[in-house]
Amino acid sequence: MIKKLSFSYKKDGRLNGCRLNLSKDILNFLSITEENNNIIFEYKNDEIILKYGKTLVEQEQKTENGKILLLIKNYKVKFDKVGKYKSPKLVIPLPIINSLGLTEEKKDVVITLLDDAVSIKPNVEGKVDRKGKVYTIKVNKGGVGKTFLTVQLSVGLSLIGKKVLILTSDSQNNVLDYTAPQEHKPIFDSGLKAFVKGEDGDIVRIRENVDFIPLEDSKFSTTFLNNLPKFIEKMKIEYDFVLIDSIPTMKLDTIFVECSDKVIIPCFCDRVTVEGVINVVEEAGIDKVFSIIVNKYRNTTNQNKYLNDLKNVLGETTILLPEPIKELSQIETLLEKGKSVWETNSKGLQEVQDSLIEVIKGM
Ligand SMILES: Nc1ncnc2c1ncn2[C@@H]1O[C@H](COP(=O)(O)OP(=O)(O)OP(=O)(O)O)[C@@H](O)[C@H]1O
Ligand SMILES: [Mg+2]
C-alpha cells in the first residue's frame, strides 16, 4: 500500500520531525497494541523494516560524511490522542529520511507486508494503490466455460485499460492452454503456493496487463489456506481486477469465494446445470452473485425453456443475465490457437463480444 509521511517544521522552516501513521492493518499484522508497542526498527539498503519485539543488539553504521548506512534500534509505536481517538504513529529519525531521499515533495512510501515484518520504501516508481475488485468464476460442474469466460473477461478488461490478475484453484492451469498455442505454452516452476509462502513464484504475463499465477498442485496445507486471504489482499493493491478461475476443490474454493467481492456463474441451459447454478447462488449468497452467463447456448426448445426459467427467476434480482453465448465452432478454433475473442475479426464473434461487454461494463 502507498502511504504519505507527515513532516513537521520548526518556526524557522527547518524540518523538525517525520512520522508515519500506522493503520490498524499494520498494527494487527505486527501484533502491536498500546500495551505491547515495542518495535525493532531496521534501516539498510534504502529500506526500513519493522518487526515486533526488542533486539539485544542495537547497531549503527555511518559513512565518513555522516550518512547512515545501517541502523538497528529498539523503538516504540506512539499512541497519540487525537480527540476521542488514539492515533498510532512511528517517528522516523530525520537522518534516515535524508538517506531515503524523502522530502515534502516526495513523501509517498510503499508499505509491503512481509512474512513477519513490514517493509517501508520510498515510492520511486510512482506506484498507485488500486483497490482491485475480486471476482470468482465458479460453477460446480465441469466444462461449462469457467476458464473460457475467465480468460475472455480478463483480456476484455485489459483492453479498456485495466490491470488484471488471474488466479485459479485448478492445477491443470487451462488458462495457459487458452491463451497461447500449444507449441508456445509457457512453462512455470512455481506459482500461487510459493507466493503465499512469501517466496518468489512465477507470474506468467499472458497479455499486456493480464498476469496469471499458476497453481502448482492440489495439495493445500492449513498454513497455505490461512495465508491465502492476506495474499489476495496484497494483490488487490497491485491490480484493478483479480479474476479467479475456480473449480470445486474443497476448502480452497470456499476461501476464494469468501475473498471475492462477487461471483460470476457460467451456465448451460439444461436442467442439471440450472439446478447447479441455484446451488451456487445459495452457497455464495444471492447478494454475492454478480452475473449468470449462459454459455454454449443452442437455440433448441429445451434450452429455451430453461433460459426462460432463468430469465423469470433472475428478473426479480439484480443479477445480470447477458445475452447467451452460443456454442460456436469459431470459439473452439480460437481457443485451439490460444487466441481470445477480442483477437479476431470473425463476424460471428461480434455477438459473443457484445455479451461479454455487457458483463464487463458492470464489473
Ligand atoms: N461458447 C462456446 N462455444 C464452443 N466451445 C466452447 C464454448 N465455451 C467453451 N467451449 C469449449 O468447451 C470446453 C470447456 O470449456 P472450459 O474449459 O472453459 O470449461 P471449464 O468450466 O473451465 O471446464 P473444467 O471444469 O474442466 O475446468 C473447452 O474445450 C472450450 O473450448
Ligand atoms: Mg477450467
Side-chain angles (χ1 to χ4, degrees):
M1 63 197 102
I2 316 294
K3 292 260 177 209
K4 285 196 189 317
L5 299 176
S6 307
F7 290 105
S8 58
Y9 296 89
K10 292 183 185 152
K11 278 209 182 101
D12 62 6
R14 276 184 304 148
L15 197 56
N16 185 32
C18 173
R19 66 166 206 274
L20 174 67
N21 293 329
L22 297 174
S23 65
K24 235 188 214 151
D25 292 352
I26 297 176
L27 292 184
N28 289 345
F29 183 77
L30 287 171
S31 315
I32 288 173
T33 59
E34 207 173 344
E35 293 73 38
N36 294 306
N37 61 347
N38 288 319
I39 203 156
I40 307 168
F41 182 103
E42 287 185 22
Y43 167 79
K44 68 172 176 229
N45 303 331
D46 291 335
E47 182 178 19
I48 296 170
I49 302 274
L50 305 177
K51 286 183 195 152
Y52 173 68
K54 269 187 166 179
T55 174
L56 293 174
V57 214
E58 293 194 327
Q59 289 183 56
E60 184 169 345
Q61 279 173 25
K62 284 185 185 171
T63 61
E64 278 170 10
N65 49 22
K67 189 174 181 271
I68 296 192
L69 287 175
L70 170 92
L71 181 75
I72 303 177
K73 230 170 149 38
N74 291 315
Y75 277 122
K76 284 181 193 291
V77 173
K78 299 219 164 98
F79 286 76
D80 285 351
K81 242 186 145 177
V82 182
K84 278 197 287 188
Y85 303 101
K86 291 276 169 65
S87 158
K89 66 174 191 189
L90 178 77
V91 176
I92 304 178
L94 290 181
I96 298 228
I97 293 296
N98 290 335
S99 298
L100 287 170
L102 291 161
T103 59
E104 184 67 47
E105 289 73 38
K106 287 202 304 190
K107 58 182 175 186
D108 276 4
V109 288
V110 181
I111 301 188
T112 318
L113 305 181
L114 308 174
D115 249 359
D116 60 346
V118 169
S119 144
I120 304 170
K121 282 184 193 170
N123 188 10
V124 277
E125 290 161 30
K127 281 192 181 177
V128 288
D129 276 356
R130 293 185 188 257
K131 300 203 174 70
K133 288 198 230 168
V134 184
Y135 285 84
T136 291
I137 292 82
K138 166 189 161 80
V139 66
N140 298 341
K141 187 170 167 32
V144 191
K146 292 181 292 292
T147 311
F148 163 67
L149 289 171
T150 306
V151 166
Q152 308 315 318
L153 292 171
S154 299
V155 177
L157 284 163
S158 77
L159 296 175
I160 55 165
K162 305 294 181 190
K163 199 171 168 211
V164 186
L165 174 68
I166 306 179
L167 300 178
T168 184
S169 55
D170 186 354
S171 60
Q172 290 190 73
N173 296 298
N174 291 138
V175 167
L176 297 174
D177 297 294
Y178 295 175
T179 48
Q182 203 57 29
E183 62 278 17
H184 294 130
K185 186 175 158 180
I187 39 171
F188 64 91
D189 292 322
S190 60
L192 186 65
K193 286 173 72 166
F195 277 110
V196 172
K197 255 192 240 164
E199 294 164 5
D200 267 345
D202 288 332
I203 294 194
V204 185
R205 175 135 307 167
I206 58 174
R207 291 293 183 274
E208 196 184 341
N209 280 329
V210 186
D211 289 346
F212 173 59
I213 297 187
L215 181 66
E216 295 92 331
D217 55 62
S218 313
K219 289 182 285 257
F220 309 116
S221 69
T222 319
T223 321
F224 168 78
L225 295 171
N226 287 342
N227 291 334
L228 180 61
K230 210 154 62 188
F231 175 71
I232 295 178
E233 278 307 311
K234 267 203 265 182
M235 293 300 102
K236 282 161 73 170
I237 295 169
E238 307 225 356
Y239 293 90
D240 297 305
F241 287 93
V242 179
L243 264 60
I244 303 170
D245 173 19
S246 168
I247 55 165
T249 35
M250 297 172 288
K251 199 77 179 77
L252 180 56
D253 186 45
T254 317
I255 294 176
F256 274 143
V257 172
E258 278 168 9
C259 293
S260 298
D261 296 282
K262 294 281 179 182
V263 174
I264 293 174
I265 310 175
C267 171
F268 290 148
C269 270
D270 65 17
R271 183 165 58 84
V272 182
T273 320
V274 171
E275 277 171 10
V277 167
I278 293 166
N279 283 339
V280 178
V281 174
E282 282 172 354
E283 256 176 68
I286 193 155
D287 294 338
K288 223 171 193 179
V289 180
F290 163 62
S291 176
I292 293 177
I293 306 177
V294 172
N295 186 30
K296 291 194 180 175
Y297 167 73
R298 274 178 293 120
N299 188 358
T300 62
T301 317
N302 207 43
Q303 292 217 8
N304 284 326
K305 175 188 167 315
Y306 285 104
L307 182 59
N308 273 325
D309 284 357
L310 269 177
K311 277 185 185 162
N312 287 334
V313 175
L314 300 181
E316 294 162 21
T317 70
T318 55
I319 298 175
L320 174 71
L321 181 70
E323 275 302 305
I325 296 176
K326 290 185 188 137
E327 178 159 62
L328 297 173
S329 60
Q330 288 124 300
I331 290 185
E332 265 178 39
T333 317
L334 271 181
L335 294 182
E336 189 62 30
K337 290 187 195 155
K339 282 188 170 182
S340 78
V341 300
W342 311 102
E343 295 156 332
T344 164
N345 292 323
S346 163
K347 276 252 158 51
L349 290 167
Q350 183 68 49
E351 278 180 30
V352 180
Q353 291 180 357
D354 289 345
S355 298
L356 293 165
I357 289 169
E358 262 187 84
V359 180
I360 287 171
K361 273 187 179 164
M363 286 176 81

